[in-house]
Amino acid sequence: MDPSAAAPKLRQPSTAGTAAVKSKRKKTTVEALSHDVLCIIFSFLDLVQLIRCSAVSTSWSKAVNKLKLHQTEYFKQQHRDPNGLNDASFSQRSLSEQAEELAMEQHRLALQRGPGTVFQWKGHSVGVNQCRMKMGKVLTGVGDKVMRLWSAESCKCLDEYVLVDKAPLIDFDFDEGKVVGLVGTRICIWNRTETRNVFSSRENLFTKALCMRYVDPEAVIGCEDGKVRVFDLYSRKCSQIIKMHQGPVTCVALTDDQLLVSGSSLGTLSLSDLSSDQRVVLLGSTFSAGIKTLCFNPSSCMLFAATTAGNVSCWDLRTTTRTLWETRVSPNVIYSMHHLRNDTSTLVVGGIDGVLRTVDQVTGEVISRCIMDDSTAVVHRSTERFGTIQIESRKLRRLSENDRIDLMPRTCKPQITCLAVGMEKVVTTHNDKYIRVWKFRK
């Protein structure tokens, strides 16, 4: 397809005028709340909820900071006297840092030992095996001819993005402004603004592409020929081709400072700096099993790699000289792993045995194992513009290290093909029609 050709338009859920009115009303409602009213409302919230409210708008953030609600709630959590605070020695910056640390600690405790509920619903007409979660929104697809955007909190469908032709969707990601998809042998970009257009690069841009990740302005695509293609989202051209492996590239990771990491089906793991001379460096020794998935933590510079044999390994990319730890997390293949961006303590892992595991990022120890309880589900219906969906909720069941998971019914532990982590929640897909949200409580 010629990139200069007119892009096909997708179905518009609302007109620009209606959206503008709704946006204006929403803004007016938020800004109309006085500090007194906000103080009353916010006083009922805990620290994690206050942090979330601070991100809603500038006026809410100013209200929380001015009323020192972060400060009061933080000292309640620490069982200390908030009246004993010395403002000179306790800056707003240090308060924010400690509030974030406390939020991450609550997240870790919730994943490790808190009770939980699993919500599931049929989100697609056929099986899907990929999901991404950002800013409380979940995007699901691969297997179907449509990607759907969901609310992680209410499980309601917010939008959908239709593939323009019969080419298969291989991988995708999204941000506030766009959805980027690897479709067949090309890249497609869906605009999430009111002008609902989709751009498609030319055909046969990539040779048997297998995986994709992107950090604006570049997407990196791993291919079967052992090469990684770098696609510039703005010039809409393939800017670099890097030979990284002798076998197929099965997974890629791209950091904010343009460090590219890729794994192959032959068990090799390679690094390349896109901002310099593209020199490829082999990371560690060759694994006995293929690399299935990668996860990079920008807060700690830790890289995690999982294999088809169920092993997870960790490196510090500031040294890259040796493996920090390697753990046999699962007896079978691991398909996916993820963590919160600022979380340096927990890593959530899922694979073919259907057990949702939490791993300590520092030691590699498995600190939690979860499946769905096989008891009767609680069912309720949700009606929305895309139709009515039936949402089932089941209790979360925690397993011990000695539990025989092979004797447990498959219905409570379907294979986890992909997962994404949010604050005290995990979204999973299973190569079936269901989407599942695991919500944990401290």
Side-chain angles (χ1 to χ4, degrees), residues 46 48 52 101-117 340 343 345-346 348 356-358 367-370 396-398 421-426 438-442:
D46 62 24
V48 174
R52 290 173 176 169
E101 289 177 4
L102 185 58
M104 291 300 102
E105 176 66 11
Q106 290 186 344
H107 172 72
R108 183 186 68 81
L109 292 175
L111 293 180
Q112 183 176 354
R113 58 172 182 258
T117 305
L340 282 178
D343 182 17
S345 62
T346 59
V348 182
L356 191 72
R357 294 177 173 88
T358 302
I367 58 177
S368 173
R369 301 166 180 82
C370 301
L396 179 144
R397 177 183 173 186
R398 292 193 177 275
V421 179
M423 180 62 75
E424 298 179 6
K425 65 174 66 70
V426 180
W438 309 58
K439 295 185 179 181
F440 299 83
R441 301 183 300 277
K442 179 177 174 294

Side-chain angles (χ1 to χ4, degrees), residues 132-180:
R132 304 285 183 267
M133 178 161 54
K134 294 178 181 177
M135 301 162 290
K137 296 180 177 61
V138 179
L139 188 64
T140 58
V142 180
D144 202 351
K145 300 301 292 182
V146 61
M147 291 176 285
R148 290 198 169 97
L149 188 70
W150 309 86
S151 166
E153 191 63 34
S154 66
C155 305
K156 287 189 176 182
C157 187
L158 305 175
D159 217 333
E160 60 181 24
Y161 306 90
V162 181
L163 272 65
V164 295
D165 54 31
K166 295 182 179 180
L169 177 66
I170 299 169
D171 208 343
F172 61 85
D173 207 342
F174 76 107
D175 57 27
E176 292 181 347
K178 60 186 172 297
V179 174
V180 180

Side-chain angles (χ1 to χ4, degrees), residues 71-267:
Q71 168 186 312
T72 303
E73 191 61 32
Y74 174 77
F75 276 88
K76 285 181 182 178
Q77 295 281 358
Q78 297 298 310
H79 305 290
R80 291 163 60 186
D81 180 12
N83 296 321
L85 177 68
N86 185 339
D87 289 332
S89 62
F90 202 83
S91 66
Q92 182 59 47
R93 181 174 178 271
S94 65
L95 177 61
S96 299
E97 289 175 350
Q98 294 191 56
E100 181 176 301
E101 289 177 4
L102 185 58
M104 291 300 102
E105 176 66 11
Q106 290 186 344
H107 172 72
R108 183 186 68 81
L109 292 175
L111 293 180
Q112 183 176 354
R113 58 172 182 258
T117 305
V118 183
F119 298 87
Q120 65 175 19
W121 68 95
K122 289 184 179 180
H124 293 264
S125 58
V126 298
V128 294
N129 60 19
Q130 293 287 330
C131 62
R132 304 285 183 267
M133 178 161 54
K134 294 178 181 177
M135 301 162 290
K137 296 180 177 61
V138 179
L139 188 64
T140 58
V142 180
D144 202 351
K145 300 301 292 182
V146 61
M147 291 176 285
R148 290 198 169 97
L149 188 70
W150 309 86
S151 166
E153 191 63 34
S154 66
C155 305
K156 287 189 176 182
C157 187
L158 305 175
D159 217 333
E160 60 181 24
Y161 306 90
V162 181
L163 272 65
V164 295
D165 54 31
K166 295 182 179 180
L169 177 66
I170 299 169
D171 208 343
F172 61 85
D173 207 342
F174 76 107
D175 57 27
E176 292 181 347
K178 60 186 172 297
V179 174
V180 180
L182 176 58
V183 183
T185 59
R186 65 185 190 275
I187 288 287
C188 290
I189 304 173
W190 288 261
N191 195 334
R192 291 186 59 197
T193 62
E194 290 304 319
T195 307
R196 291 295 303 277
N197 292 332
V198 54
F199 157 78
S200 177
S201 66
R202 64 179 177 84
E203 292 279 3
N204 300 317
L205 192 60
F206 313 111
T207 305
K208 293 185 178 180
L210 301 177
C211 55
M212 181 206 74
R213 287 294 181 269
Y214 90 89
V215 175
D216 261 346
E218 294 171 321
V220 291
I221 297 92
C223 301
E224 196 174 71
D225 60 2
K227 297 178 181 178
V228 173
R229 271 81 175 174
V230 182
F231 181 81
D232 189 292
L233 298 177
Y234 296 107
S235 68
R236 299 177 180 182
K237 295 179 180 179
C238 190
S239 59
Q240 300 180 51
I241 301 177
I242 307 171
K243 179 69 174 181
M244 299 196 74
H245 300 278
Q246 295 303 315
V249 179
T250 52
C251 49
V252 290
L254 182 63
T255 70
D256 292 337
D257 54 359
Q258 293 190 305
L259 182 64
L260 171 65
V261 188
S262 64
S264 79
S265 61
L266 300 181

Side-chain angles (χ1 to χ4, degrees), residues 229-381:
R229 271 81 175 174
V230 182
F231 181 81
D232 189 292
L233 298 177
Y234 296 107
S235 68
R236 299 177 180 182
K237 295 179 180 179
C238 190
S239 59
Q240 300 180 51
I241 301 177
I242 307 171
K243 179 69 174 181
M244 299 196 74
H245 300 278
Q246 295 303 315
V249 179
T250 52
C251 49
V252 290
L254 182 63
T255 70
D256 292 337
D257 54 359
Q258 293 190 305
L259 182 64
L260 171 65
V261 188
S262 64
S264 79
S265 61
L266 300 181
T268 54
L269 199 60
S270 298
L271 300 175
S272 181
D273 188 352
L274 300 184
S275 62
S276 60
D277 59 358
Q278 302 182 26
R279 187 169 64 93
V280 177
V281 177
L282 184 65
L283 184 61
S285 58
T286 302
F287 289 88
S288 58
I291 307 295
K292 195 64 179 178
T293 182
L294 294 172
C295 188
F296 175 72
N297 190 330
S299 298
S300 62
C301 292
M302 298 296 187
L303 175 71
F304 306 96
T307 71
T308 55
N311 295 321
V312 175
S313 299
C314 173
W315 291 264
D316 185 342
L317 292 190
R318 292 167 294 191
T319 60
T320 68
T321 56
R322 60 185 179 86
T323 304
L324 296 182
W325 54 259
E326 182 175 354
T327 304
R328 183 76 184 277
V329 171
S330 170
N332 303 104
V333 58
I334 295 172
Y335 287 128
S336 183
M337 55 185 176
H338 194 229
H339 57 78
L340 282 178
R341 181 178 177 85
N342 295 330
D343 182 17
T344 58
S345 62
T346 59
L347 176 71
V348 182
V349 176
I352 197 171
D353 65 359
V355 179
L356 191 72
R357 294 177 173 88
T358 302
V359 177
D360 188 303
Q361 289 190 28
V362 178
T363 65
E365 177 189 1
V366 180
I367 58 177
S368 173
R369 301 166 180 82
C370 301
I371 61 172
M372 290 188 301
D373 196 295
D374 203 30
S375 60
T376 304
V378 178
V379 179
H380 68 277
R381 296 180 182 275

Side-chain angles (χ1 to χ4, degrees), residues 374-440:
D374 203 30
S375 60
T376 304
V378 178
V379 179
H380 68 277
R381 296 180 182 275
S382 175
T383 303
E384 51 192 66
R385 58 177 174 153
F386 293 108
T388 300
I389 61 173
Q390 182 174 285
I391 303 174
E392 301 177 5
S393 61
R394 299 176 184 269
K395 290 183 179 180
L396 179 144
R397 177 183 173 186
R398 292 193 177 275
L399 305 177
S400 70
E401 185 177 0
N402 298 322
D403 283 334
R404 290 284 304 276
I405 60 175
D406 57 313
L407 301 179
M408 299 173 185
R410 194 66 188 173
T411 53
C412 65
K413 51 180 187 65
Q415 64 172 339
I416 299 173
T417 57
C418 190
L419 63 85
V421 179
M423 180 62 75
E424 298 179 6
K425 65 174 66 70
V426 180
V427 176
T428 57
T429 52
H430 308 264
N431 204 28
D432 57 18
K433 300 177 183 179
Y434 283 96
I435 302 165
R436 294 174 174 89
V437 178
W438 309 58
K439 295 185 179 181
F440 299 83

